[in-house]
Amino acid sequence: MAADSDKVTSPYQGLESRAFWRSGVAEAGRFPPADVYRARFPITRDLPIFTAGSCFAQHVGNALRSSGFRVLDAEPLPAGMAAHFRPMAQTYGYGLYSARYGNIYTVRQFLQLIREAHGEFQPADPIWERDGRFFDALRPGTEPNGLETPELVTRARAGHLAAVRDALGQAGLVVFTLGLTESWQHTESGTVYPTAPGTIAGQMDDARYSFINFRASQIREDFLEVRDYLKAINPDIRFLLTVSPVPLTATASGNHVLPATVYSKAVLRTVAGELYEDFEDIDYFPSFEIVASHASDDGFFADNLRSVTTRGVRRVMRAFLAAHGAGQDTAEERDVADSDGTDDDVVCEEALLEAFST
Amino acid sequence: MTRFLVLGSSHVAAMKQAAPQFVERHPDIDLSFFASAAPTFRVGRVGQKGFFTPKYRSKGDRQLARQVNDALTVDLTSFDQILVSGFRFSMGDVAKVLLDFDIVEGTDTGKAQTCSLDFLRAMIDHLVAREMKLITGCLGENRNFTITDAPYPAETIGQRSEDYDPAKSLDAFMNHPDAPGLFDYWKDQVAAGVTAAGYGFLPQPVETVTKPFATAGQFTAAAPHMNGEQLSWTDHRHMNADFGLHVLEAFTEKHMNPTPKPA
């Protein structure tokens, strides 16, 4: 029997300083706090990493690549190609992710891609048209000017799906950035698209397409299906989830875009948190919290209060890489430190919705 | 008497070697040359007083320039016509892509990956814009310059696949079934880029071109070094006096309304 003096008077007594707001955040002396993230499992340099997600995921991939991690790229440009082509090539989807699927804003979109790559899903209306050119509706941003015929889109997509299959077959870790809950679907089939019809190509037709705002339970279910698929390919595969701190450019929910954004991010954060709690093979990295929480620096968003500044990106990546044993002064960080802009260098179709603002 | 300067990189040597023959045919043209190694030439500058000075990086650069030109700078104001040879709108990276990719709109050659024609054209647009930035930075305001691209590699460049990394992809490009269309696009974009900047443009003479982005192999034999000595080996990139004469004659024909002395 313990003496009275040894009695714990509160379950918070004796917790680490990171558990308290004052010591863990307000008086931590730096932001993000040094211990804001503890890696659940190590990411070794030779672990094949598959990256996907919304625009912000591009930063994660870049940081990993620059720090010597093995980020898969099943549709690479030739080795030795001059670096000055890179930004131009990225507008065609090269070098952004582990294949040229472009941004994957919802888990449902990711699930579709995996199933389609394995011949178990056939998207509805997979080809959209604009000004006589034809676009892959599932990745309309990867050919900014489209292709000449629908057949060419189909041919290009077949090659792309083979590359996705190849990359997934090698993956030991999937890094996925949850971006949006809102999406547009082919109503009858449930096929979701990364952009609304009519944004890059195609045409909105209320009888054919409809808005969907995924709920937490649906996202979780989709993610578990993704996990099952990928575990069937590689039982040892692991997952690292993040939530993008980038607000919605626009909402079709009928709500004001601010609460719509907070709702969306809260849903995604909830799903990520519960998946983390429930599965040992899922880690969560708090990029959203670092950029968009109470203690975040004023300078993490650009004047439009949407684009994350290079400073914000740098802080996120520093915390991430430090937790995974990568150097503090990586090439990515130097690049970011040397620049003074926003994350406009990432390729982001969702931002195109701004053009519809009146 | 027309005062005509050929300004540029090591590729000037082919024209310099052709000078005796050219001057013999055009006694009314006073032909001069100024050349420096490509890395010093391409980032050189035309000063306010109209002198061109290469960006020398070392004593060796200066020594070579003195040896070749007997001067470190050249006064451009004293010439009526200036032909510039040494900028390179290289198709090397486009060729690298075609080594690994088929064009989705083009011929199926069994490559595992495809890319779009639009992407390759965007690459060409990018490389032209980038080189034009270099050219305008180097030459500044239009001063009766006519730009000619550095010679296309020789069609025999594949012989250097072992020692020269780009040789394999360039050789493959020259023989690629879809290369002619890309080459035509490239030529149009280069001409448009140069003329939009206010310079004259001289394409490589057609009689020297055998394949897309390929110079006939005969022009690479006995090519000279910038200092006038013959290269000790065939590098398949530098051309000989015969090629130089074709370029000089093409320029004269296009820009100087020549009345050549009968042969």
Side-chain angles (χ1 to χ4, degrees):
Chain A
M1 194 107 181
D4 281 356
S5 60
D6 294 335
K7 274 186 182 171
V8 173
T9 56
S10 161
Y12 294 92
Q13 187 179 335
L15 292 182
E16 296 175 87
S17 61
R18 74 197 294 260
F20 297 92
W21 186 265
R22 193 181 68 182
S23 51
V25 180
E27 295 176 4
R30 59 182 291 189
F31 192 82
D35 206 12
V36 71
Y37 166 64
R38 286 178 181 172
R40 176 171 247 174
F41 43 76
I43 302 175
T44 56
R45 291 290 204 287
D46 58 349
L47 182 69
I49 301 172
F50 185 100
T51 67
S54 70
C55 320
F56 196 78
Q58 292 167 35
H59 292 302
V60 181
N62 287 340
L64 288 168
R65 237 185 314 269
S66 302
S67 300
F69 289 95
R70 189 180 160 203
V71 177
L72 294 165
D73 187 352
E75 294 183 275
L77 284 172
M81 195 168 143
H84 59 78
F85 284 104
R86 191 174 148 198
M88 183 280 297
Q90 286 180 334
T91 66
Y92 285 78
Y94 291 103
L96 297 178
Y97 297 112
S98 294
R100 286 179 67 217
Y101 32 76
N103 296 313
I104 297 180
Y105 294 102
T106 60
V107 178
R108 177 69 56 84
Q109 191 194 336
F110 190 31
L111 175 61
Q112 277 181 187
L113 176 67
I114 295 168
R115 292 181 61 206
E116 188 189 3
H118 291 90
E120 296 177 23
F121 175 75
Q122 197 71 26
D125 291 355
I127 298 167
W128 288 348
E129 186 262 345
R130 187 192 75 206
D131 301 333
R133 302 282 290 181
F134 297 89
F135 294 74
D136 185 335
L138 285 308
R139 49 172 192 156
T142 54
E143 283 295 340
N145 298 305
L147 295 173
E148 205 176 341
T149 66
E151 291 74 23
L152 291 173
V153 177
T154 303
R155 183 184 171 199
R157 185 156 189 83
H160 166 62
L161 291 172
V164 171
R165 218 163 36 241
D166 177 43
L168 288 171
Q170 297 179 57
L173 173 72
V174 172
V175 178
F176 189 83
T177 300
L178 299 152
L180 299 177
T181 56
E182 296 189 12
S183 188
W184 289 86
Q185 65 178 346
H186 180 265
T187 309
E188 193 183 333
S189 69
T191 298
V192 297
Y193 306 98
T195 62
T199 306
I200 291 178
Q203 199 164 4
M204 187 56 201
D205 176 353
D206 289 335
R208 206 166 176 79
Y209 304 111
S210 56
F211 174 72
I212 181 168
N213 200 357
F214 287 108
R215 298 190 169 201
S217 58
Q218 292 173 299
I219 298 167
R220 178 186 170 89
E221 205 171 300
D222 285 344
F223 190 85
L224 291 179
E225 209 172 326
V226 165
R227 182 172 171 270
D228 287 347
Y229 256 100
L230 300 184
K231 285 272 183 196
I233 298 169
N234 175 8
D236 296 325
I237 199 165
R238 288 170 163 174
F239 302 87
L240 177 70
L241 296 177
T242 64
V243 172
S244 166
V246 180
L248 305 184
T249 300
T251 179
S253 64
N255 299 317
H256 187 283
V257 70
L258 177 59
T261 292
V262 173
Y263 169 77
S264 183
K265 299 298 175 184
V267 166
L268 295 172
R269 180 63 186 91
T270 299
V271 173
E274 290 187 353
L275 287 169
Y276 175 85
E277 291 297 326
D278 293 347
F279 299 95
E280 288 294 320
D281 56 15
I282 298 176
D283 196 2
Y284 172 76
F285 174 74
S287 53
F288 175 82
E289 289 85 336
I290 292 172
V291 175
S293 67
H294 313 72
S296 301
D297 279 15
D298 286 345
F300 285 177
F301 284 102
D303 290 345
N304 64 8
L305 300 181
R306 184 174 181 279
S307 304
V308 180
T309 61
T310 49
R311 189 164 163 232
V313 172
R314 183 185 179 197
R315 295 286 182 91
V316 170
M317 292 310 144
R318 187 165 61 191
F320 180 81
L321 293 170
H324 286 284
Q328 292 287 311
D329 188 20
T330 64
E332 162 83 0
E333 286 191 29
R334 282 195 300 276
D335 288 350
V336 169
D338 290 341
S339 59
D340 186 28
T342 67
D343 67 351
D344 286 347
D345 55 331
V346 297
V347 179
C348 201
E349 303 94 342
E350 203 240 347
L352 298 174
L353 292 174
E354 184 59 38
F356 296 91
S357 172
T358 52
Chain B
M1 198 73 155
T2 301
R3 295 163 304 171
F4 174 25
L5 172 70
V6 180
L7 172 70
S9 66
S10 56
H11 295 289
V12 168
M15 288 172 267
K16 197 169 182 179
Q17 201 176 47
Q21 211 177 339
F22 179 79
V23 170
E24 170 70 18
R25 297 188 64 193
H26 301 279
D28 54 336
I29 295 176
D30 179 12
L31 182 59
S32 301
F33 299 91
F34 187 91
S36 72
T40 66
F41 165 72
R42 286 160 55 82
V43 290
R45 286 286 182 275
V46 177
Q48 286 186 341
K49 292 181 178 172
F51 282 75
F52 173 77
T53 309
K55 187 167 185 174
Y56 297 116
R57 303 159 302 178
S58 64
K59 202 172 167 184
D61 287 340
R62 289 188 181 80
Q63 278 175 344
L64 180 61
R66 273 208 189 88
Q67 183 192 351
V68 172
N69 309 298
D70 206 23
L72 290 175
T73 63
V74 57
D75 180 3
L76 303 179
T77 62
S78 57
F79 296 98
D80 303 306
Q81 297 282 354
I82 301 171
L83 175 63
V84 182
S85 172
F87 292 106
R88 179 178 290 284
F89 299 86
S90 176
M91 289 282 268
D93 285 296
V94 174
K96 273 183 199 163
V97 173
L98 280 193
L99 198 60
D100 294 343
F101 289 69
D102 276 336
I103 304 176
V104 71
E105 297 93 338
T107 310
D108 184 352
T109 68
K111 305 272 168 52
Q113 292 194 75
T114 61
C115 67
S116 65
L117 181 60
D118 189 60
F119 172 68
L120 293 169
R121 287 181 170 179
M123 280 187 73
I124 291 170
D125 294 345
H126 170 79
L127 73 88
V128 170
R130 192 167 186 275
E131 194 70 4
M132 285 313 305
K133 196 172 173 187
L134 195 71
I135 292 174
T136 52
C138 176
L139 302 178
E141 296 292 311
N142 181 22
R143 194 185 295 275
N144 65 340
F145 293 114
T146 296
I147 312 288
T148 189
D149 191 30
Y152 311 150
E155 60 185 335
T156 49
I157 190 85
Q159 293 174 21
R160 285 191 63 187
S161 294
E162 294 295 315
D163 73 294
Y164 181 55
D165 189 46
K168 188 179 171 193
S169 52
L170 287 168
D171 180 58
F173 179 81
M174 291 167 187
N175 296 293
H176 194 286
D178 297 326
L182 277 173
F183 184 52
D184 286 344
Y185 181 81
W186 175 84
K187 283 189 292 186
D188 290 346
Q189 296 312 111
V190 171
V194 170
T195 52
Y199 306 122
F201 179 64
L202 181 72
Q204 180 165 329
V206 288
E207 67 274 16
T208 67
V209 182
T210 51
K211 295 174 182 174
F213 206 61
T215 302
Q218 72 202 60
F219 294 113
T220 198
H225 184 270
M226 198 165 70
N227 63 13
E229 294 169 10
Q230 189 177 316
L231 287 172
S232 58
W233 61 301
T234 302
D235 75 352
H236 304 276
R237 292 175 52 238
H238 289 87
M239 303 301 153
N240 60 22
D242 194 12
F243 178 88
L245 189 60
H246 277 276
V247 176
L248 290 172
E249 289 292 0
F251 178 82
T252 309
E253 180 73 32
K254 189 173 177 183
H255 294 279
M256 294 202 274
N257 300 316
T259 51
K261 201 168 108 178

